[in-house]
């Protein structure tokens, strides 16, 4: 049985559509398969790097897991746990940091992005440790596949590099995971046409209320092509979000309308709004039925299983680096 591993950082109390299609949708497609074991983790250690309010972190963790389950992830079939409940993550992080050069980390996106925001001496140590901890998160569980955005491939390539280096130094220990990129949702656009991201403030939350949802849909950026002229759907931000929710037949019809005459963007936006309501309302209703205690019990149950898997790997690592005599 192959293993697929993914996680998400609780830096907000919701997830947006990009998170859903990147992290949740692949799991939903695989959770009923006999071919895959699915593991999902809440990366609360990573969240601490930028969020220092414990009440916010607690709320975010509970709502994040609630969002996963409300999106029809089955907690009886998918192992879902909180990163900080498994000490092996920080244990392996230290071991991997000991074999990683500073020069290599300075070439990572995390460091380059930080330099755009702060002076070099204002950058915290998490900037360098973030990709190393991410590698530890993955390698502990020997996954075959890791869902990633196209622009996140560097992190997985680093994970593979550091795994190969450890294997060379201490003997075969880690499996080299492969990226799992669904080309149809490799990059989910935001309301401004860029990749949907909290950083760009261009997201649509999956728990968005109807009024705010309509406001955001109406604000989606479009071009200035007159209503009477044909349009290319692939160059339209509205369509590139809309197509994620269409059947093949619906997609064919809307594309035909684009290339014909008299298509109004406001009509396409209302069609998108209706599709989003159809998709999001059941998720909101399911979320409202899940209490905080329900979420805590699920996390407690699976923390034991995740710890068992991770401890087996950290024991192997400690034996290889002679921590266990």
């Amino acid at each position: 049985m192959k293993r697929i591993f993914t996680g998400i950082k609780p830096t907000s109390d919701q997830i947006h559509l990009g998170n859903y299609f990147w992290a949740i949708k692949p799991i939903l497609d695989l959770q009923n398969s006999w071919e895959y074991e699915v593991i999902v983790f809440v990366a609360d250690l990573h969240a601490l790097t930028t969020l220092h309010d414990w009440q916010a972190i607690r709320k975010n963790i509970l709502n994040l897991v609630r969002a996963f389950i409300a999106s029809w992830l089955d907690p009886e079939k998918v192992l879902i746990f909180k990163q900080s409940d498994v000490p092996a993550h920080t244990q392996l992080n230290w071991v991997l940091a000991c074999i990683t050069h500073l020069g290599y980390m300075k070439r990572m996106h995390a460091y380059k992005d930080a330099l755009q925001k702060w002076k070099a001496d204002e950058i915290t140590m998490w900037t360098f440790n973030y990709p190393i901890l991410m590698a530890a998160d993955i390698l502990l569980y020997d996954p075959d596949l890791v869902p990633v955005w196209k622009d996140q491939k560097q992190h997985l390539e680093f994970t593979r590099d550091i795994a190969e280096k450890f294997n060379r130094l201490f003997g075969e220990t880690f499996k080299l995971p492969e990226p799992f990129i669904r080309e149809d949702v490799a990059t989910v656009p935001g309301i401004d046409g860029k990749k949907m991201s909290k950083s760009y403030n261009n997201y649509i939350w999956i728990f968005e209320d109807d009024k705010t949802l309509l406001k955001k849909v109406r604000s989606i950026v479009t071009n200035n092509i007159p209503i009477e002229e044909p349009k290319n759907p692939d160059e339209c931000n509205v369509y590139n979000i809309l197509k994620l929710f269409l059947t093949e037949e619906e997609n064919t019809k809307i594309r035909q309308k684009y290339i014909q005459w008299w298509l109004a963007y406001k009509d396409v936006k209302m069609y998108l709004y209706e599709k989003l309501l159809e998709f999001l309302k059941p998720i909101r209703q399911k979320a409202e039925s899940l209490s905080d205690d329900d979420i805590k019990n699920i996390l407690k149950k699976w923390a034991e299983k995740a710890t068992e898997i991770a401890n087996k790997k950290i024991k192997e690592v400690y034996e290889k680096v002679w921590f266990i005599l």
Side-chain angles (χ1 to χ4, degrees), residues 76 99 107 123 136 150 182 236 244:
E76 295 300 317
I99 66 170
R107 296 196 294 271
I123 296 172
K150 279 186 174 180
R182 289 181 46 146
C236 176
L244 299 170

Side-chain angles (χ1 to χ4, degrees), residues 15-31:
I15 65 172
H16 55 66
L17 290 177
N19 299 140
Y20 171 85
F21 282 102
W22 160 62
I24 299 180
K25 186 62 167 64
I27 295 171
L28 299 181
D29 295 341
L30 297 173
Q31 68 180 356

Side-chain angles (χ1 to χ4, degrees), residues 200-265:
Y200 297 145
N201 195 30
N202 65 354
Y203 47 79
I204 294 173
W205 296 124
I206 67 166
F207 296 151
E208 205 83 77
D209 65 83
D210 294 0
K211 183 178 179 181
T212 306
L213 179 63
L214 180 58
K215 182 178 179 180
K216 287 188 174 183
V217 170
R218 284 175 170 168
S219 70
I220 296 175
V221 177
T222 56
N223 56 37
N224 297 319
I225 299 176
I227 187 173
E228 65 271 14
E229 293 186 15
K231 302 166 181 66
N232 182 349
D234 298 318
E235 296 176 355
C236 176
N237 296 331
V238 185
Y239 170 77
N240 284 324
I241 301 174
L242 173 63
K243 68 181 181 181
L244 299 170
F245 306 96
L246 299 179
T247 65
E248 187 175 339
E249 182 180 356
E250 289 170 335
N251 188 46
T252 299
K253 287 181 179 179
I254 193 67
R255 289 186 68 87
Q256 288 175 343
K257 289 183 179 180
Y258 266 89
I259 62 177
Q260 294 170 352
W261 306 90
W262 300 101
L263 175 76
Y265 285 124

Side-chain angles (χ1 to χ4, degrees), residues 282-294:
I283 293 177
R284 292 204 304 250
Q285 292 169 355
K286 175 71 172 175
E288 290 167 0
S289 72
L290 296 167
S291 70
D292 286 355
D293 285 340
D294 292 332

Side-chain angles (χ1 to χ4, degrees), residues 99-143:
I99 66 170
T100 304
H101 294 147
L102 180 62
Y104 187 97
M105 299 313 300
K106 285 185 175 180
R107 296 196 294 271
M108 298 296 290
H109 290 319
Y111 178 71
K112 292 180 178 179
D113 289 346
L115 284 177
Q116 299 297 316
K117 302 174 184 176
W118 305 292
K119 297 177 181 178
D121 58 359
E122 295 174 339
I123 296 172
T124 61
M125 290 309 300
W126 80 263
T127 303
F128 297 105
N129 284 322
Y130 184 90
I132 301 173
L133 179 57
M134 186 179 295
D137 298 332
I138 296 169
L139 296 175
L140 273 176
Y141 299 91
D142 282 332

Side-chain angles (χ1 to χ4, degrees), residues 86-105:
V86 183
H89 286 258
T90 52
Q91 291 174 288
L92 183 55
N93 176 53
W94 175 258
V95 173
L96 298 182
C98 288
I99 66 170
T100 304
H101 294 147
L102 180 62
Y104 187 97
M105 299 313 300

